[in-house]
Amino acid sequence: MLKPVVTAVILMLLLSACISKSDHNPLQQSSTEIPDTTQKFDIRHRDQQQIEKVIYSFAENFDNVHLEKCLELMDENIRGEVDGVMLHGKQNFASRITRLAESVKNAHYQQRHLISNMQFEGLTNDTVKVSMYSAMLSTDLTTGMIQLMQVGYYKGKLVKKGDKWLIAVLNSLPDSRLVENFFKEPLDSINKR
């Protein structure tokens, strides 16, 4: 009598193991599942274009010493660090940038920013985090010699105020900050080996 009961229990266990649950998703345990890489907030293509325009305009106006136009592209509370200069609000940046403009007024070189690999991350509907590679070239206007002055990243945030995107955070992160020392020993000691 125990044998038919044991057989029935085994059959029921086998049948329940073979019946798939309707909420079972085999991709949840699969190593081939595509991870969800969507941002918290999708960035509309039109917003992306406007953000790119702000960044490219800032770089071009900075390179051509149209610094008042750079200020128009900034949020009042901009913060960050560019080439060791701390940014604490638009007015602070304006005073520093005016001194910079005076120092390069009669310069014999032209600088150019090259920006690429721009990446966007939507934080909220009106705030976007950006990062991009940057290189700065300098052309000597008397000799025509071109030098690569700096390579690295720009990282920051833009905020939408009304219908305009403005730079709220700006940090330059040159790759040279990663180099402890270019030469660990004097050149003379290398030549004597």
Side-chain angles (χ1 to χ4, degrees), residues 18-91:
C18 293
I19 298 173
S20 65
K21 295 179 182 176
S22 61
D23 63 343
H24 176 69
N25 183 352
L27 289 180
Q28 287 179 332
Q29 285 81 33
S30 171
S31 62
T32 60
E33 177 185 10
I34 299 171
D36 181 14
T37 58
T38 57
Q39 303 298 328
K40 285 185 350 192
F41 293 89
D42 289 331
I43 303 164
R44 293 181 20 231
H45 182 69
R46 179 76 177 131
D47 285 329
Q48 225 173 346
Q49 288 176 317
Q50 290 173 346
I51 290 167
E52 287 174 353
K53 185 176 180 181
V54 168
I55 292 166
Y56 292 140
S57 293
F58 184 89
E60 182 177 351
N61 285 305
F62 191 87
D63 291 345
N64 293 316
V65 198
H66 298 142
L67 304 176
E68 68 287 345
K69 291 183 181 177
C70 291
L71 293 172
E72 293 171 13
L73 302 168
M74 295 178 169
D75 182 63
E76 289 296 324
N77 299 312
I78 188 169
R79 66 185 194 288
E81 181 179 348
V82 177
D83 299 331
V85 177
M86 297 301 292
L87 304 177
H88 300 288
K90 192 174 188 175
Q91 293 310 312

Side-chain angles (χ1 to χ4, degrees), residues 2 134 183:
L2 198 54
S134 67
F183 302 101

Side-chain angles (χ1 to χ4, degrees), residues 88 117 193:
H88 300 288
N117 297 38
R193 287 186 186 171

Side-chain angles (χ1 to χ4, degrees), residues 84-107:
V85 177
M86 297 301 292
L87 304 177
H88 300 288
K90 192 174 188 175
Q91 293 310 312
N92 171 263
F93 185 78
S95 66
R96 290 171 180 257
I97 213 162
T98 302
R99 288 193 306 254
L100 173 65
E102 286 298 315
S103 72
V104 298
K105 187 165 50 174
N106 299 318

